[in-house]
């Protein structure tokens, strides 16, 4: 019956389009992936025979002998699927893969597999093997937007498909199995390993002799430096993130997604994307330094703009999601949130001077401040964050314990990267991604909700059938919630503490907090027109600026891929300059919003010299927020009279005993940390 039906239906059309199209949040087309690239279609006669041999012996050794199915492999795959109750195992022949690319979606269901089998029979019934092989080689996805062997040859080796050498053909033959894995531009070592496996397979089956095999294995691969074949038109780095997210949503392979005929409605704000790209171009210019930057709506989690490098054609390595770098002092908000939850307040004072810390393992640690500047007196947390004082940060880290800071950063701020609980953690010496940092800051911006970044609103197939709708899924989750609508939002940060931290983070732009050096945002403070909260970060090879308004969070990292030190003074200001230009431009179309102030918070004028309430005669004052009942009760005048501006001698070594925390509380009592 199946054979009769296949015969009566006649030959299936071979030129059916299945383009995957990406839309911005306002449904403007931002990119299109082609399942069939007619402009690069080449006949089988114009494809190098070595590539044909490598493809057949890699993908389907019995292609010219079977009627579309390799039953031995197929039965094994079916048995595995039955045992595992999944559809993960594949045993597709070249004809099956061609049928799937031409006519079907890539969902993993038994129904789809049956349709695939039906179309495979029809293809085999009406087309000869060479025609099928030609179609397959001209439609299969080779990564980086290259569909078909001609496009792949031009992209990877800057030559036509009939000019490939054996070693080049073997490398290309290995890519379709997993373009994101076996592309030499993603991972050269893995691509080379697969190429050598393919060459060994050809030698084992006497397709090539030993001498040819050895020569091909050792031959260099002249990869193209002019990789200009790109199907993305807007935000290519963003589109790569979309593809990865789509893979998780639909549970399909990346190479299937590229030619699956999906309509993907993304979160991209084209105006913000243009602004971020323009700011990058204006500030960095032709410099070979790199950038990773991302913006998102802190309330919904929607990623609105993303730049993963200065030039996608030269490098599609995405520095927002793939690169892990030290965040420097931009990590400190997580530290100070932990401190605020554990008894410290914005008015807590600690001595800022060169300090050597003796740690539990017997080693010592001697951090330093930027350019060796110190207050040489106690400073408040508010000033320590605004000036990015490292001594204050390390003392705070050891007080609350690095283990507690790691727990807070991972469980409450959503940092996925592994963090070691070390003394230098306070100074951002553990590596993270830009995406992690922007997402974490967004939890501060929205008042403490566990919002996570995403790039896809909705996905449909070529017929408009909805395959995924984020809004509908969220509504379904809310229906199952045991909480009321107001309580269903998951707060992972305490709203009062979050508001206090937000106010502290505004301090980097407030020159009234200037102390032994200017506030760290002073260089761009004259450019801001909104009430931003932010933090910069600096290491020898990294420059960061991350901040937010109630409407938008943005983060910028600048550095070199090879981790070389940034020595140019101008380059050290790139991250801040790009960030402020982008934020100002983006907020031209955003409403003026205020941070929602929780109940039980009071604002108190604090004297920055003593950390006590401001009073007549104390001139350096600053308004700070406190949970009611934790504010200082004595005035600066009383403190000056009692202490005569003197403070107990600084304890320069922290005893590495098991009762470290008790020692810290003794420190509190003896006056090296001043509270209330």
């Amino acid at each position: 019956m199946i054979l009769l039906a296949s015969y009566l239906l006649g030959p299936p059309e071979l030129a059916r389009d299945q383009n995957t199209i990406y839309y911005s949040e306002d449904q403007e087309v931002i990119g299109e992936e082609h399942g069939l690239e007619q402009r690069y279609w080449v006949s089988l006669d114009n494809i190098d025979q070595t590539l044909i041999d490598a493809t057949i012996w890699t993908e389907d050794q019995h292609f010219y002998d079977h009627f579309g199915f390799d039953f031995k492999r197929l039965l094994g795959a079916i048995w595995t699927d039955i045992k595992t109750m999944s559809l993960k195992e594949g045993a597709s022949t070249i004809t099956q893969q061609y049928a799937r690319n031409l006519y079907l979606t890539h969902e993993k269901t038994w129904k789809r597999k049956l349709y695939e089998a039906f179309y495979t029979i029809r293809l085999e019934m009406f087309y000869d093997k060479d025609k099928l092989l030609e179609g397959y080689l001209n439609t299969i996805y080779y990564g980086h937007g290259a569909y078909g062997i001609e496009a792949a040859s031009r992209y990877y080796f800057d030559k036509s498909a009939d000019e490939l050498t054996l070693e080049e053909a073997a490398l290309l033959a290995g890519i379709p199995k997993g373009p994101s894995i076996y592309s030499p531009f993603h991972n050269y070592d893995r691509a080379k390993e697969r190429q050598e496996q393919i060459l060994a397979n050809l030698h084992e089956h006497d397709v090539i002799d030993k001498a040819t095999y050895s020569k091909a294995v050792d031959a260099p691969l002249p990869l193209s430096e002019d990789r200009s074949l790109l199907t993305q038109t807007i935000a290519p780095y963003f589109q790569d993130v979309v593809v990865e997210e789509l893979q998780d949503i639909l549970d399909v392979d990346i190479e299937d997604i590229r030619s699956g005929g999906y309509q993907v409605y993304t979160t991209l704000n084209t105006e913000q994307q243009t602004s971020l790209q323009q700011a990058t171009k204006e500030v960095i210019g032709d410099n070979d330094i790199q950038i990773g930057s991302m913006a998102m709506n802190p309330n919904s989690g929607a990623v609105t703009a993303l730049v993963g490098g200065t030039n996608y054609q030269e490098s599609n390595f995405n520095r927002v999601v793939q690169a892990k770098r030290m965040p420097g002092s931009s990590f400190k908000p997580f530290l100070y949130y932990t401190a605020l939850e554990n008894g410290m307040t914005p008015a807590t004072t600690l001595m800022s001077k060169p300090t050597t810390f003796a740690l539990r393992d017997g080693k010592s640690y001697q951090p330093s401040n930027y350019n060796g500047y110190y207050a040489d007196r106690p400073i408040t947390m508010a000033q320590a964050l605004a000036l990015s004082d490292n001594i204050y940060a390390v003392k705070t880290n050891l007080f609350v314990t690095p283990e507690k800071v790691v727990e807070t950063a991972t469980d409450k701020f959503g940092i996925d990267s592994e963090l070691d609980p070390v003394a230098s953690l306070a100074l951002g010496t553990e590596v993270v991604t830009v995406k992690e940092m922007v997402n974490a800051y967004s939890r501060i911006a929205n008042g403490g909700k566990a919002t996570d970044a995403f790039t896809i609103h909705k996905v449909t197939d070529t017929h408009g059938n909805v395959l995924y709708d984020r809004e509908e899924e969220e509504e379904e989750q809310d229906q199952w919630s045991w909480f009321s609508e107001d309580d269903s939002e998951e707060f992972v940060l305490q709203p009062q503490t979050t508001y206090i931290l937000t106010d502290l983070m505004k301090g980097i732009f407030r020159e009234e907090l200037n102390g032994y050096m200017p506030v760290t945002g002073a260089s761009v403070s004259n450019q801001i027109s909104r009430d931003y909260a932010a933090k910069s970060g600096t290491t020898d090879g990294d420059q960061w600026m991350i901040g937010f308004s109630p409407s938008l969070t943005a983060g910028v990292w600048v550095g070199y891929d090879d981790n070389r030190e940034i020595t140019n003074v101008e380059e050290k200001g790139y991250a801040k300059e790009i960030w402020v230009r982008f934020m100002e431009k983006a907020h031209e179309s955003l409403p003026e919003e205020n941070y929602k102030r929780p109940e039980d918070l009071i604002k108190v004028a604090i004297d920055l010299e003593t950390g006590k309430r401001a009073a007549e005669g104390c001139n350096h004052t600053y308004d700070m927020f406190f949970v009611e009942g934790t504010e200082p009760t004595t005035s600066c005048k009383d403190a000056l009279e009692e202490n005569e501006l003197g403070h107990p001698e600084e304890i320069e070594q922290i005893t590495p005993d098991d009762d470290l925390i008790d020692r810290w509380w003794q420190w509190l009592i003896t006056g090296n940390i001043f509270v209330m």
Side-chain angles (χ1 to χ4, degrees), residues 348-355 357 369 374-380 384 389-396 516 645-652 664 667 671-674:
T348 299
T349 60
L350 287 172
M351 182 69 75
S352 168
K353 71 175 186 179
T355 306
F357 298 89
N369 279 349
Y374 303 88
D376 291 319
R377 63 171 179 80
I379 60 174
T380 63
D389 190 280
N390 288 338
I391 304 302
Y392 192 109
V394 173
K395 290 179 179 179
T396 302
Y516 61 85
L645 282 178
H647 292 274
E649 193 66 26
E650 176 77 0
I651 300 175
E652 294 193 354
W664 269 96
W667 222 33
N672 281 285
I673 301 179
F674 292 89

Side-chain angles (χ1 to χ4, degrees), residues 6 43 101 141 160 181 215 219 225 278 335 364 418 439 444 451 453 504 514 530 532 548 557 567 590 638 644:
S6 299
S43 67
N101 286 341
Y141 182 61
S160 294
I181 300 174
K215 182 180 178 181
E225 296 181 359
Q278 184 65 28
L335 165 71
S364 63
E418 184 176 350
N439 190 77
I444 309 172
T451 303
L504 289 173
N514 286 347
R530 296 289 182 102
Y532 302 126
F548 54 84
W557 166 86
T567 57
L590 292 175
D638 295 335
E644 297 179 348

Side-chain angles (χ1 to χ4, degrees), residues 593-629:
E593 291 187 83
N594 297 316
Y595 302 93
K596 185 177 180 181
R597 178 174 166 181
E599 298 179 356
D600 301 327
L601 289 185
I602 60 172
K603 183 165 66 173
V604 179
I606 298 297
D607 170 54
L608 293 175
E609 300 292 333
T610 62
K612 307 300 181 182
R613 282 180 175 267
E616 186 177 354
C618 303
N619 298 321
H620 198 182
T621 65
Y622 185 79
D623 289 341
M624 303 180 192
F625 286 92
F626 301 85
V627 176
E628 191 169 5

Side-chain angles (χ1 to χ4, degrees), residues 263-496:
Q263 310 291 302
V264 185
Y265 299 89
T266 77
T267 60
L268 188 76
N269 182 303
T270 53
E271 290 185 0
Q272 290 186 19
Q273 180 68 28
T274 300
S275 297
L276 186 55
Q277 292 176 178
Q278 184 65 28
T280 300
K281 182 178 180 180
E282 291 173 353
V283 174
I284 293 181
D286 295 328
N287 196 319
D288 61 349
I289 202 168
Q290 281 294 343
I291 184 173
S293 55
M294 186 180 106
M296 64 181 282
N297 182 321
N299 300 299
S300 67
V303 177
T304 54
L306 188 150
V307 172
T310 55
N311 190 315
Y312 186 85
Q313 295 186 24
E314 293 181 359
S315 170
N316 60 17
F317 179 71
N318 195 326
R319 294 153 190 88
V320 171
V321 296
Q322 292 178 292
K324 288 197 172 186
R325 306 292 294 232
M326 291 191 292
S329 292
S330 64
F331 190 85
K332 287 177 180 175
F334 314 144
L335 165 71
Y336 289 123
Y337 178 88
T338 309
L340 291 169
E341 277 200 337
N342 286 271
M344 296 178 69
T345 74
T348 299
T349 60
L350 287 172
M351 182 69 75
S352 168
K353 71 175 186 179
T355 306
T356 299
F357 298 89
L359 307 176
R360 288 179 176 177
D361 59 6
K363 297 180 181 180
S364 63
Y365 178 50
Q366 189 173 9
S368 61
N369 279 349
Y370 181 69
N371 282 340
Y373 295 146
Y374 303 88
D376 291 319
R377 63 171 179 80
I379 60 174
T380 63
M381 182 189 292
Q383 205 166 28
L385 184 56
L387 304 180
S388 204
D389 190 280
N390 288 338
I391 304 302
Y392 192 109
V394 173
K395 290 179 179 179
T396 302
N397 184 34
L398 296 178
F399 166 54
V400 299
T401 74
E403 290 78 9
K404 180 66 72 173
V405 176
V406 169
E407 180 183 340
T408 299
T410 55
D411 295 349
K412 297 187 177 183
F413 286 96
I415 299 295
D416 292 324
S417 295
E418 184 176 350
L419 306 174
D420 286 335
V422 294
S424 62
L425 175 67
L427 309 185
T429 56
E430 298 297 295
V431 294
V432 294
T433 67
V434 172
K435 182 182 178 182
E436 286 177 301
M437 293 296 288
V438 175
N439 190 77
Y441 271 56
S442 289
R443 296 186 178 196
I444 309 172
N446 66 32
K449 291 183 293 184
T451 303
D452 291 315
F454 69 94
T455 62
I456 297 175
H457 283 303
K458 187 173 70 172
V459 182
T460 68
D461 62 18
T462 52
H463 305 293
N465 300 311
V466 176
L467 305 177
Y468 169 80
D469 190 312
R470 184 179 181 87
E471 185 176 345
E472 289 184 1
E473 288 203 355
E474 289 177 345
E475 289 178 355
E476 290 178 3
Q477 291 174 2
D478 289 342
Q479 291 175 0
W480 285 98
S481 173
W482 292 93
F483 305 102
S484 66
E485 182 177 349
D486 291 337
D487 293 333
S488 63
E489 294 177 320
E490 182 185 358
F491 282 86
V492 290
L493 305 178
Q494 294 180 2
Q496 291 89 347

Side-chain angles (χ1 to χ4, degrees), residues 91-131:
S92 297
T93 63
I94 285 175
T95 313
Q96 286 176 277
Q97 293 180 55
Y98 189 29
R100 185 190 314 146
N101 286 341
L102 284 176
Y103 311 117
L104 304 169
T105 64
H106 297 265
E107 57 182 342
K108 295 182 182 294
T109 64
W110 290 109
K111 180 180 179 181
R112 198 273 293 160
K113 285 182 176 289
L114 289 173
Y115 275 115
E116 178 185 301
F118 179 65
Y119 278 111
T120 298
I121 292 172
R122 292 180 67 196
L123 286 173
E124 289 278 352
M125 182 176 290
F126 290 101
Y127 298 101
D128 63 38
K129 289 290 188 178
D130 285 349
K131 188 67 173 179

